[in-house]
Amino acid sequence: MASSTSFYCSALILSVVLLVANPSMATTRKLSALVEQDPLLLKYHKGELLKGNLIVNLIWYGKFTPTQRSILIDFVQSLSPSRTLISPSVSSWWKTTEKYKTGSSKIVLGKQIIDEKYRFGKSLKNVHIVYLASQLKMQNSINVVFTAKDVTVEGFCMSKCGSHGSASIGKTKDSKKFAYIWVGNPETQCAGQCAWPFHQPIYGPQSPPLVSPNADVGVDGMVINLATVLAGTVTNPFKNGFFQGPATAPLEAVSACTGIFGKGAYPGYAGDVLTDKVTGASFNARGINGRKYLLPAMWDPKTSTCLTLV
């Protein structure tokens, strides 16, 4: 089983540290939100994109509460344009992916596996993620592995908050590839890196953290990271779709717009977003079952800008 992976780290604070340590890295993906760059252009590399009806299967590794699972499940189901939601909505955010060539990427919730027995322990390697992702039907599907807050994953918090990749079953060059995603819960491991702006950053600009819309800093951070890698999966599933920079560390549909959630965003400030009058929570998208989410900007190939919902 061969695999390839793209990583995403949501933390602006990591970028600050890297820039100080190595100014020559100023054009890399991790520093995209902190330095002035040339006009952003995600080039199409003529590869396959994921279009049509896509089944998203969920693999829960470790212990999640029913409420935590429902937050993420509702987000996935809110991506469907068949859901009538009050604007700004999760489905309107996802609609931007239709501008990447032609055709929609319609998300349908598929099967779920709940593994609370930690079959591989609580410290996972990337090979474990690929194995877990390969358990369910893979044709026209994206398999998502969620790891609980007490599970460490190779590279988690140090270089990534989530990742997407592809793997093939079999050893021939004609073996069919499938796409997979991993996102970890950063609540107790690195909320200041992978749950920003809902947690005070460890380094960098110290703006007050926002109130998370679902009263769960770790899982609301997971929503941001899932949104980022899911958009990257459908627009650059096999490292030859839409991206800027090297294929091994690409700027993709949402990772190109890291740290931007509303108009007026700048390093350490998420931008002007909406506020729930009752809870004081920050959000910019509405989902099913009355859910509210904070979603990152997505690069718009029609205007070559980072498009925000508000």
Side-chain angles (χ1 to χ4, degrees), residues 12 15 67 74 77 79 86 127 133 137 140 158 164 215 233 245 257 262 265 274:
L12 298 182
S15 300
T67 298
D74 285 351
Q77 292 189 306
L79 293 165
I86 301 174
V127 65
K137 178 183 177 182
N140 298 323
M158 294 182 291
H164 76 88
T233 298
C257 303
L274 304 176

Side-chain angles (χ1 to χ4, degrees), residues 155-202:
F156 188 26
C157 298
M158 294 182 291
S159 62
K160 59 184 178 179
C161 301
S163 64
H164 76 88
S166 63
S168 57
I169 300 298
K171 298 182 179 180
T172 68
K173 65 179 181 179
D174 296 324
S175 298
K176 183 65 176 178
K177 290 184 177 181
F178 72 95
Y180 67 89
I181 284 171
W182 160 75
V183 176
N185 186 339
E187 178 187 345
T188 58
Q189 299 184 55
C190 55
Q193 293 174 304
C194 296
W196 185 87
F198 303 128
H199 190 282
Q200 197 78 14
I202 300 174

